[in-house]
Amino acid sequence: MAVNLQTPIDYLKGVGPQRADVLRKELNIFTFQDVLNLFPNRYIDRTKYYKIGDLQQNNAEVQVIGKIKSFKEVAQKRGKRLVAVFQDDTGSMELVWFRGQKWIKDKLELNTPYVIFGKTNWYGNKCNMPHPDIETMDEHKTGLSSGILPLYPSTEKLTARGISNRVIGKIVQQVFLDTKGKFIETLTAEICSELKLLSKSDALLNIHFPKSQKLLAKAQFRLKLEELFYIQLQLILKNLIHKSKIKGLLFDKVGTYFNTFYASHLPFSLTNAQKRVLKEIRVDLGSTAQMNRLLQGDVGSGKTIVGFMSMLMALDNGFQACLMAPTEILATQHYTGLLAWCEKLNITIELLTGSSKTSKRKLIHNALEDGTLHILVGTHALLEDKVKFKNLGLAIIDEQHRFGVKQRSKLWKKSNATQETGSAIIPPHILVMTATPIPRTLAMSVYGDLDISVIDELPPGRKSIKTVHRYDANRLNVFRFIRDEIEKGRQIYIVYPLIQENETMDYKDLMDGYASIERDFPKPKYQISIVHGKMKPADKDYEMQRFIKGETQIMVATTVIEVGVNVPNASVMVIESAERFGLSQLHQLRGRVGRGAAQSFCILMTSYKLSNDSKTRLETMVRTNDGFEIAEVDLKLRGPGDIMGTQQSGVLNLRIADVVKDKAILQQARYHAKKVLQNDPALQHPEHSMVLDTYKAMSKFKNIWNYIS
């Protein structure tokens, strides 16, 4: 039977139906191609041969050449063990087998040169090696396997079924024999020559059977670059296709709303970064392709005003706009902030959340459909079927990683907007905002199909927040500091962790903390608000409003205030059990203060028992306020999957590359993918035929692409 890389592994010599079944279930290996793509986890250097007389008393893995001089069976509590005396010209050692004795004794011959490899055990001055890898000198010289031994991923079930590392190595070797080790090139001649890459065939040979450390490094570089190149190609192509196929509403004028706001009502001068981002958005809205842009900006960098001015462009062109936020608190916060500006411009704006009354909802639904409502702000409630716009032109999604892909796509279908050119309904432009800084490597991988804008400077006059780490033993000093700040007329947040697995314990922590704060800050001199997830929305809102109005000086809360509370008078954020929070969460919480003119402080309270990761997180928070630097540290600590959450981590199920460690390779891959598509967007040129074929094959077999949102 003729074989190719899509041939099922059942047809591979040495596999058979039972092994094939285990390999499918345990390692997702279905075809010859999957065997080739099972890359080793690590390698053992077997280029060195040791003499028995030179072995040291440690339990290192060593390789020795010698001959078996004798066998004996030794009785033990359960059954017997087989012991062989193995000798070279400097001394002797014992080889030990606890199972398979008969087969081993029949297979191995006395006085024949063998190469053994394994871990040494020492009893007194005597060395032995249990269950060594053993092969004749001839096998050792003629096998594909070389001096550097690959170690493959494994599981308990594979080991139990006798599929050892050696067996997997043999299976890989068989694929090379069956295919004659010839594999189709997947990268262009230009890329291979410019980056001095090994050919595809040489790279695969040297990843599995490296001839030297140097060739192994070259093989790893080549295969990592290829994997990242095709991910980038997919993402950039997706963006190009999006722009060419998905029509967008043309906003061809900047009119009265925008100009009046800019000239008369802008509360502060825009930073250069805000101006740059507005220009990028303006270009998108002025083209006939749908905008699909991610706006990144640290806490307090002024994303909201950029979002609002983008909405004004939609209104100036006769369209409606909406802003969707993940929580009621954040949606209400946005609504309150925008309302003041809208009133000055005579723009109608409404808030729609799960708590909105039925009578109010009806009014909103009607005003949306007849076009008298210009801007709608809300939560998931915006996605309900009853919510229909007359002509939605721009949808802004805040903290979009909290919404699923399906939820976001629902917004696309909310518009009845058409333009004079035809009667087809055109989806709204999409602007996604996030205050969670995304490391550049992740942004390139996960959001590579979006255009990305970054607001990377804070408004002038903002004082940087001072962050300190204090242990529980310093609590009295911390409380003294809080009293001093309250004397100056400031307000304080005290936040407790709420981690769902243990809500009862966390709730108790919060209530115990609240009780102790009440004792140290007694009424009527001090007033305290409390907010947590178990409260009814109305009660939560009442407590929030008391704090916002300055009726209470201290807000005791769980992380519900992580996003969306803006009280410029609050100058101190105390985070209890700070070691239980992730870095991005700590950074988000810290961003709740520092919104006014006064110097603000963030105090991280912990016990003395801290893991190394916790120490790194706390040191990072104390050292820097830069969200992008914090995100890079977070990425190193947690890995890409955890940071993106389950929805987006799928794109990072990489076979060999690592977006954290291989940042430089990722940048090269993106550069070359862009270059190929700039010259040939449809991949029609003859020199790109192998790229097109590989891309089609990958899309067909759904290796990695369908996870991208």
Side-chain angles (χ1 to χ4, degrees):
M1 170 184 156
V3 298
N4 62 40
L5 291 183
Q6 299 314 321
T7 302
I9 45 161
D10 310 58
Y11 297 100
L12 187 63
K13 187 181 166 190
V15 173
Q18 287 180 321
R19 272 187 177 171
D21 199 43
V22 180
L23 289 167
R24 276 191 283 269
K25 284 177 181 161
E26 294 298 299
L27 293 175
N28 277 330
I29 291 178
F30 292 84
T31 63
F32 282 29
Q33 173 93 59
D34 295 332
V35 173
L36 286 177
N37 288 340
L38 180 72
F39 298 123
N41 283 338
R42 60 192 183 91
Y43 297 84
I44 295 168
D45 191 343
R46 283 183 61 173
T47 52
K48 187 167 171 54
Y49 298 89
Y50 289 84
K51 292 287 186 184
I52 294 172
D54 297 335
L55 293 177
Q56 300 297 308
Q57 289 205 23
N58 58 32
N59 61 347
E61 288 175 303
V62 295
Q63 183 168 246
V64 182
I65 300 170
K67 295 175 181 176
I68 295 172
K69 288 296 173 184
S70 64
F71 284 111
K72 66 177 176 184
E73 287 187 339
V74 180
Q76 51 187 33
K77 272 186 184 176
R78 285 186 184 170
K80 297 172 183 174
R81 66 179 183 270
L82 179 66
V83 178
V85 173
F86 188 75
Q87 187 178 306
D88 70 3
D89 56 357
T90 65
S92 66
M93 62 189 287
E94 289 186 338
L95 309 182
V96 186
W97 292 271
F98 296 96
R99 55 186 184 273
Q101 288 97 325
K102 185 179 182 313
W103 181 79
I104 288 158
K105 213 172 169 184
D106 291 347
K107 183 174 177 259
L108 299 179
E109 296 171 6
L110 298 179
N111 295 313
T112 300
Y114 285 109
V115 180
I116 62 163
F117 176 81
K119 255 186 184 170
T120 52
N121 281 343
W122 291 80
Y123 294 97
N125 290 326
K126 289 196 77 174
C127 171
N128 74 39
M129 188 182 286
H131 289 274
D133 272 355
I134 187 162
E135 55 188 352
T136 64
M137 279 303 287
D138 288 346
E139 284 172 334
H140 187 66
K141 283 174 183 167
T142 56
L144 263 177
S145 91
S146 61
I148 300 169
L149 178 76
L151 294 181
Y152 290 94
S154 188
T155 67
E156 279 181 34
K157 277 191 183 168
L158 287 170
T159 311
R161 297 288 180 87
I163 303 176
S164 62
N165 192 67
R166 188 184 175 86
V167 169
I168 290 181
K170 287 243 169 94
I171 289 170
V172 175
Q173 187 166 323
Q174 193 59 49
V175 170
F176 274 84
L177 294 172
D178 286 3
T179 56
K180 300 185 173 56
K182 295 280 182 278
F183 306 109
I184 295 166
E185 186 50 72
T186 52
L187 293 172
T188 66
E190 188 184 344
I191 294 173
C192 290
S193 139
E194 195 175 320
L195 296 175
K196 299 185 175 62
L197 300 179
L198 290 183
S199 70
K200 177 76 175 200
S201 296
D202 285 348
L204 285 170
L205 180 67
N206 281 286
I207 203 80
H208 291 292
F209 310 108
K211 297 282 177 273
S212 68
Q213 292 284 0
K214 191 177 177 184
L215 280 168
L216 171 59
K218 284 188 155 209
Q220 287 175 325
F221 178 81
R222 148 79 212 219
L223 294 168
K224 285 176 178 186
L225 184 105
E226 179 184 333
E227 181 169 43
L228 294 168
F229 172 84
Y230 279 99
I231 284 182
Q232 292 306 317
L233 190 85
Q234 161 73 6
L235 290 164
I236 297 161
L237 254 177
K238 203 172 168 194
N239 194 340
L240 291 173
I241 291 165
H242 188 108
K243 285 181 173 167
S244 63
K245 288 198 174 169
I246 300 180
K247 267 182 77 70
L249 299 157
L250 177 64
F251 296 175
D252 55 3
K253 64 172 184 243
V254 173
T256 313
Y257 285 127
F258 187 96
N259 289 330
T260 307
F261 180 74
Y262 192 81
S264 311
H265 303 298
L266 200 60
F268 45 77
S269 297
L270 295 178
T271 62
N272 287 330
Q274 286 171 315
K275 287 176 184 170
R276 184 188 70 243
V277 169
L278 270 170
K279 202 175 280 180
E280 290 166 354
I281 291 169
R282 170 85 188 90
V283 169
D284 283 356
L285 299 178
S287 81
T288 51
Q290 186 209 27
M291 175 168 78
N292 206 16
R293 186 168 284 279
L294 172 70
L295 173 54
Q296 274 186 273
D298 221 334
V299 177
S301 61
K303 293 182 301 298
T304 310
I305 201 158
V306 169
F308 179 66
M309 291 172 83
S310 307
M311 289 181 181
L312 295 181
M313 291 182 209
L315 269 58
D316 275 333
N317 286 275
F319 293 95
Q320 296 162 301
C322 71
L323 193 163
M324 186 166 79
T327 65
E328 280 202 21
I329 290 171
L330 184 49
T332 308
Q333 181 81 42
H334 278 311
Y335 171 72
T336 313
L338 299 181
L339 181 62
W341 295 335
C342 287
E343 283 172 345
K344 289 172 182 167
L345 295 165
N346 209 14
I347 290 169
T348 54
I349 181 169
E350 288 291 356
L351 175 68
L352 182 66
T353 69
S355 309
S356 301
K357 292 192 166 60
T358 312
S359 53
K360 181 73 175 168
R361 281 167 184 266
K362 279 183 182 167
L363 291 171
I364 289 173
H365 293 160
N366 293 336
L368 273 183
E369 288 195 56
D370 66 23
T372 52
L373 178 55
H374 298 127
I375 296 175
L376 181 61
V377 179
T379 55
H380 297 76
L382 264 64
L383 303 173
E384 289 167 5
D385 293 338
K386 287 180 181 172
V387 178
K388 290 192 177 71
F389 292 78
K390 181 183 181 187
N391 57 354
L392 179 63
L394 173 66
I396 298 180
I397 305 169
D398 199 11
E399 295 303 335
Q400 69 101 35
H401 57 280
R402 298 180 176 215
F403 296 102
V405 179
K406 280 183 185 168
Q407 290 172 317
R408 297 201 300 273
S409 66
K410 271 191 166 185
L411 266 182
W412 271 47
K413 296 162 190 159
K414 288 285 171 192
S415 180
N416 288 321
T418 58
Q419 263 179 331
E420 289 71 35
T421 48
S423 58
I425 289 173
I426 301 170
H429 293 291
I430 304 283
L431 180 65
V432 166
M433 301 199 301
T434 180
T436 309
I438 302 160
R440 187 167 156 65
T441 45
L442 269 193
M444 280 194 285
S445 308
V446 180
Y447 296 113
D449 57 332
L450 295 178
D451 295 309
I452 298 177
S453 291
V454 179
I455 301 181
D456 50 10
E457 61 183 303
L458 290 176
R462 276 279 172 99
K463 288 194 176 109
S464 138
I465 301 161
K466 286 183 181 167
T467 304
V468 293
H469 172 208
R470 297 286 180 262
Y471 292 104
D472 291 336
N474 305 121
R475 190 169 298 281
L476 290 176
N477 289 338
V478 170
F479 280 0
R480 192 176 303 121
F481 174 72
I482 289 173
R483 279 191 205 94
D484 292 345
E485 284 293 297
I486 292 172
E487 288 296 318
K488 294 178 194 167
R490 311 267 181 264
Q491 288 167 281
I492 319 293
Y493 293 109
I494 301 177
V495 176
Y496 286 82
L498 186 69
I499 297 164
Q500 280 161 345
E501 290 96 81
N502 205 344
E503 265 191 30
T504 45
M505 190 183 102
D506 293 322
Y507 182 65
K508 185 175 176 298
D509 283 356
L510 175 78
M511 298 321 286
D512 287 353
Y514 178 62
S516 73
I517 289 158
E518 273 196 316
R519 280 195 300 276
D520 280 273
F521 296 89
K523 289 176 182 170
K525 185 175 180 182
Y526 300 100
Q527 296 295 324
I528 304 169
S529 286
I530 182 165
V531 174
H532 56 81
K534 292 191 172 186
M535 293 168 75
K536 290 177 182 165
D539 296 342
K540 214 187 289 181
D541 194 49
Y542 171 73
E543 289 293 332
M544 284 278 190
Q545 289 307 320
R546 286 176 68 211
F547 189 67
I548 289 164
K549 289 172 190 164
E551 292 167 11
T552 60
Q553 296 99 337
I554 298 173
M555 157 84 76
V556 178
T558 58
T559 50
V560 290
I561 61 120
E562 175 190 341
V563 174
V565 180
N566 184 13
V567 182
N569 192 44
S571 66
V572 181
M573 167 64 73
V574 179
I575 304 174
E576 294 284 354
S577 306
E579 71 273 22
R580 289 175 66 191
F581 291 90
L583 254 179
S584 62
Q585 221 179 5
L586 289 170
H587 182 59
Q588 286 277 359
L589 286 166
R590 173 167 64 185
R592 297 301 107 211
V593 295
R595 290 169 169 254
Q599 176 63 57
S600 287
F601 304 88
C602 176
I603 303 168
L604 307 169
M605 302 293 296
T606 72
S607 64
Y608 281 99
K609 277 176 76 175
L610 295 173
S611 68
N612 287 336
D613 279 4
S614 296
K615 284 176 187 163
T616 305
R617 285 199 297 270
L618 296 163
E619 283 160 10
T620 305
M621 286 294 293
V622 170
R623 186 185 77 248
T624 181
N625 281 296
D626 180 344
F628 288 93
E629 190 183 334
I630 286 166
E632 291 287 353
V633 176
D634 203 18
L635 181 62
K636 281 179 187 141
L637 286 176
R638 292 201 289 154
D642 285 344
I643 287 186
M644 298 325 301
T646 50
Q647 284 163 356
Q648 279 105 352
S649 64
V651 70
L652 303 167
N653 289 336
L654 301 173
R655 293 185 187 278
I656 188 166
D658 177 317
V659 291
V660 183
K661 294 178 186 147
D662 300 322
K663 191 173 169 181
I665 304 177
L666 173 63
Q667 284 167 339
Q668 283 177 296
R670 188 166 177 85
Y671 165 78
H672 285 286
K674 264 187 168 171
K675 195 171 160 187
V676 165
L677 291 171
Q678 268 165 358
N679 299 330
D680 182 16
L683 299 174
Q684 294 300 317
H685 297 176
E687 67 268 27
H688 295 149
S689 60
M690 78 293 289
V691 174
L692 182 62
D693 291 345
T694 309
Y695 171 70
K696 279 181 178 170
M698 283 181 162
S699 304
K700 188 176 168 189
F701 292 105
K702 298 180 179 167
N703 282 7
I704 41 185
W705 309 133
N706 297 329
Y707 301 99
I708 300 167
S709 62

